[in-house]
């Protein structure tokens, strides 16, 4: 995986919808390195791909997930070469939104897309992506929402007035809007953006022939075909560095919808002890191997609430890098709980990877809830009154004392 | 698959036209059987002028057609899997290839006009086919056919399925529920049947409704209002909640005058405009603060600058 040297990028976004608020950083201090013309990738330290940035903690190359709030929770973004697994909510309403944000971010940043689904045609999925918002119109949206939210606007903090200056969870657009854009769910993405983007689609009913002969290999035929397709695209388009004459490096964003559902031919959701129980785990293992050797990032949505065998869920979690679970309140008793009345569900960050690092990048806020407004999907921390009496752990530390 | 009717008003509704295509599954149990509801829906579709294909697996054709009049029976195309499910009689009319081929044949057959496919029952199919294959076939059935040139909204296929929920574990039930657009669970109290309808719209929250109904002998559907329960279960068993704000030794509530006094109080660390003015204009040549210092006996009041000794 390439480690980016600087984060200054040229304007490569293909759409004109995104207004560039940031200026190109032109300084008088130029780095006098070897003038690599791009062919020699060994000493080009200034590899900068549009839509990516290095992590501030360990220099890992990150891409945005499309939701800046989620980027913040994942430690800056999704690392290139990793898998983001979204555990779907029960009625599958909110997880397609995260899926669409990821793909829309890819289109706006100019990345290549690979969309795989067994339920919907990938062309239809791309038509329904949300439209990106220009920075000023997002500020207007934010202000409108804030004004409508304010219940007691004249109560300002009198004693602790310095705390009003603390940044809130949902930050507005960052100054360099190259990384992480905002989208309007109520509008569709403009057609010309889709046409100028490079995307590959994998729709399972078209790829699988109608003769259902059960093969004896351990992977279900659907998974096998998908893996071959992904490998083919990575090799042909040169995302793993196999076509060195390609000048510009780019990221491949892979999106797989409803993996593990019966529509993929996998019966892991149907029975508890199924014959092909290792099919899904093998798929994830091979997929991760493909991703680690190429410049790509993957999002997978999986209906884990349908999987009957809990051990499989644990294995799937271990085989993915970042795991985010969505729990919606519809139909559960939490819907009437006054604590949750402003929100539509909870979001659980179940796993964060530890990549080239000694510690995990876990955010401090653990109680998170999401809300689907008319135009935006927001993630907020669920503020609760602190518990007064925390169990104090008293430890007796005995030093090593020599018996006298 | 979808459920007709979708409007919930108590007067008998007209058969709906605008219902979207998709799949619907009705779950019944031993106490509340669902075949009569299925037949009522089939009758409604037939009255709308649609062609109805029925894949019969559990009851014989005569039994299914019983109760329908001839106009409906003419529109009903019955694919019989009950008589010869394993296709032992080779030259017979039985469908070769078993249930999977029968389903695929249904997929190809509905090419003209809107159609309704009734599967009686999904439980039988689940027992004879592996669940993922059944799900994939049902999904292919309920998708709009991708024949070129077919963009008419009337070319829609509705798939209705009957599922006996006691026969299956949570796995297949969950898998089929996630596929279905509408799910009707039958239950009832005291001889009155009710249907719990869960309707999932594509990008909106699902709605859950309960509708009481009864089916008349000629298989027409009659919607009813909820019956009054004669025997109310003993409710209100919770203890009356105690108000914790009574009998306190301190005052939790402020009167109006007290509130005004509290608001007008300036706190010591509050940066008010008066303080700002006082700081900006330091008074008429006077410092606002004075320092009074009385030296001790031990204080060293050396006026020299100790840094002068440094040789810098």
């Amino acid at each position: 995986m390439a480690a980016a040297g600087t984060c200054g990028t040229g304007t490569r976004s293909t759409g004109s919808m995104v207004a560039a608020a940031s200026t190109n950083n032109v300084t008088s201090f130029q780095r006098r390195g070897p003038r690599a013309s791009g062919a020699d990738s060994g000493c080009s330290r200034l590899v900068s791909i549009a839509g990516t940035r290095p992590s501030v903690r360990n220099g890992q190359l990150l891409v945005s997930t499309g939701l800046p709030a989620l980027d913040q929770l994942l430690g800056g973004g999704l690392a290139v070469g990793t898998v983001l697994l979204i555990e779907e909510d029960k009625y599958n309403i909110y997880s397609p939104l995260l899926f669409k944000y990821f793909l829309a971010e890819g289109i706006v940043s100019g990345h290549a897309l690979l969309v795989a689904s067994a339920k919907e045609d990938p062309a239809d999925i791309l038509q329904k992506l949300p439209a990106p918002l220009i920075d000023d119109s997002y500020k207007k949206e934010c202000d409108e929402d804030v004004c409508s939210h304010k219940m007691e606007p004249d109560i300002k903090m009198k004693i602790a007035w310095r705390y009003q200056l603390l940044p809130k969870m949902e930050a507005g657009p960052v100054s360099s809007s190259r990384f992480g854009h905002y989208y309007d769910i109520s509008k569709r993405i403009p057609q010309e953006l889709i046409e100028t983007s490079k995307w590959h689609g994998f729709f399972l009913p078209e790829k699988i022939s109608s003769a259902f002969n059960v093969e004896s290999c351990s992977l279900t035929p659907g998974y096998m075909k998908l893996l071959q397709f992904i490998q083919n695209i990575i090799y042909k388009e040169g995302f793993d560095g196999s076509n060195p004459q390609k000048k510009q490096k780019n990221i491949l964003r892979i999106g797989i919808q409803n993996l593990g559902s019966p529509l993929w031919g996998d019966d892991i959701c149907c029975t508890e002890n199924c014959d092909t129980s290792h099919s899904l785990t093998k798929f994830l293992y091979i997929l991760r191997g493909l991703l680690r050797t190429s410049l790509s990032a993957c999002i997978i949505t999986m209906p884990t609430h349908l999987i009957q065998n809990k051990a499989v869920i644990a294995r799937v979690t271990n085989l993915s890098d970042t795991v985010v679970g969505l729990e919606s309140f519809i139909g559960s008793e939490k819907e009437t709980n006054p604590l949750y009345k402003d929100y539509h569900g909870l979001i659980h960050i179940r796993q964060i990877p530890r990549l080239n690092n000694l510690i995990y990048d876990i955010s401090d806020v653990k109680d998170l809830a999401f809300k689907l407004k008319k135009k935006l999907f927001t993630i907020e921390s669920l503020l609760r009154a602190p518990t007064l009496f925390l169990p104090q752990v008293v430890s007796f530390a005995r030093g090593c004392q020599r018996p006298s | 698959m979808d459920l007709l009717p979708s409007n919930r008003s108590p007067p008998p509704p007209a058969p709906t036209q605008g219902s979207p295509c998709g799949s619907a599954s009705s779950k019944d149990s031993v106490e509340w059987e669902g075949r009569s509801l299925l037949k009522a829906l089939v009758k409604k579709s037939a009255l709308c002028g649609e062609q109805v294909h029925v894949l019969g697996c559990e009851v014989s054709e005569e039994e299914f057609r019983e109760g329908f009049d001839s106009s409906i029976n003419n529109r009903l195309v019955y694919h019989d899997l009950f008589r010869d499910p394993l296709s032992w009689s080779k030259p017979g009319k039985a469908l070769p290839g078993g249930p999977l081929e029968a389903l695929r044949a249904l997929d190809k057959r509905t090419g003209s006009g809107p159609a309704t496919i009734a599967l009686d029952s999904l439980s039988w199919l689940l027992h004879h086919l592996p669940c993922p294959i059944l799900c994939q076939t049902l999904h292919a059935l309920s998708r709009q056919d991708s024949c070129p040139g077919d963009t008419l909204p009337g070319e829609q296929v509705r798939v209705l399925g009957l599922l006996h929920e006691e026969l299956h574990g949570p796995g297949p039930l969950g898998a089929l529920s996630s596929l279905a657009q509408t799910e009707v669970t039958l239950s009832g109290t005291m001889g009155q049947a009710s249907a719990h309808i869960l309707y999932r719209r594509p990008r909106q929250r699902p709605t859950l409704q309960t509708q009481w109904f009864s089916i008349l002998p000629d298989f027409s559907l009659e919607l009813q209002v909820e019956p009054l329960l004669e025997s109310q279960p003993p409710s209100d068993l919770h203890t009356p909640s105690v108000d914790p704000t009574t009998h306190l030794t301190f005052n939790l509530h402020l009167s109006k005058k007290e509130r005004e006094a509290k608001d007008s109080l300036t706190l010591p660390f509050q940066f008010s405009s008066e303080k700002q003015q006082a700081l900006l204009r330091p008074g008429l040549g006077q410092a606002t603060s004075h320092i009074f210092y009385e030296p001790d006996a031990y204080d060293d009041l050396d006026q020299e600058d100790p840094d002068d000794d440094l040789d810098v």
Side-chain angles (χ1 to χ4, degrees), chain B residues 161-302:
Chain B
L162 182 64
L163 188 64
H164 307 298
E165 64 177 352
E166 293 151 332
L167 298 179
H168 306 286
L173 284 181
L176 285 175
S177 302
S178 64
L179 269 188
Q181 208 172 39
T182 316
E183 199 182 300
V184 180
T185 310
L186 297 175
S187 61
T189 58
M190 298 185 307
Q192 192 69 272
S194 74
H196 299 281
I197 305 166
L198 177 70
Y199 183 34
R200 296 175 201 227
R201 278 162 297 183
R203 270 175 305 283
Q204 296 171 34
R205 300 162 56 92
T207 51
L208 188 58
Q209 282 174 344
T210 305
Q211 181 72 42
W212 298 81
F213 68 96
S214 70
I215 301 196
L216 305 176
D218 67 340
F219 292 109
S220 35
L221 191 61
E222 188 188 308
L223 299 176
Q224 288 164 348
V225 288
E226 187 175 335
L228 295 168
L229 299 168
E230 279 108 23
S231 60
Q232 291 275 357
S235 57
D236 297 337
L237 283 177
H238 61 272
T239 56
S241 55
V242 179
D243 188 16
T245 59
T246 55
H247 309 300
L248 285 175
T249 54
F250 47 87
N251 189 15
L252 270 184
H253 306 284
L254 291 172
S255 71
K256 196 161 178 297
K257 268 178 60 177
E258 288 168 344
R259 194 180 290 276
E260 281 170 11
K262 178 187 162 208
D263 285 339
S264 58
L265 182 69
T266 52
L267 299 165
F269 298 108
Q270 195 175 356
F271 197 69
S272 60
S273 54
E274 293 92 4
K275 259 198 202 165
Q276 196 177 16
Q277 296 303 316
L279 285 174
L280 288 175
R281 265 177 281 140
L284 304 164
Q286 292 275 349
T288 50
S289 60
H290 300 271
I291 300 176
F292 298 97
Y293 174 63
E294 279 183 15
D296 266 349
Y298 302 104
D299 274 332
D300 186 14
L301 275 181
D302 199 356

Side-chain angles (χ1 to χ4, degrees), chain A residues 90-94 100 118-120 128 158-159 161 188 203-206 210-212 214 262-267 269-271 306 308 330 335 344 372, chain B residues 100 104 131-133 135-137 139 143 169-176 178-179 198 200-206 208 262-265 267 269-271:
Chain A
K90 195 167 169 215
Y91 297 107
N92 200 18
I93 306 170
Y94 303 108
K100 283 182 206 164
K119 208 180 214 184
E120 271 180 273
K128 294 181 196 157
K158 279 188 171 177
I159 300 175
W161 48 270
R188 298 278 168 91
F203 187 39
L204 188 69
E206 285 169 8
S210 60
F212 280 99
V214 181
L263 292 175
W264 282 97
D266 194 4
D267 58 347
C269 291
C270 307
T271 60
L306 290 179
Q308 301 299 309
I330 303 170
E335 205 169 3
H344 292 140
L372 178 62
Chain B
L100 191 55
R104 294 216 195 100
C131 185
I133 294 183
C135 290
Q136 282 172 325
T137 320
H139 182 64
R143 264 177 61 224
L173 284 181
L176 285 175
S178 64
L179 269 188
L198 177 70
R200 296 175 201 227
R201 278 162 297 183
R203 270 175 305 283
Q204 296 171 34
R205 300 162 56 92
L208 188 58
K262 178 187 162 208
D263 285 339
S264 58
L265 182 69
L267 299 165
F269 298 108
Q270 195 175 356
F271 197 69

Side-chain angles (χ1 to χ4, degrees), chain A residues 16 35 93 109 182 193 270 304 317 322 330 382:
Chain A
S16 55
R35 306 290 174 106
I93 306 170
S109 311
Y182 287 86
L193 272 182
C270 307
T304 44
T317 306
T322 316
I330 303 170
L382 195 61

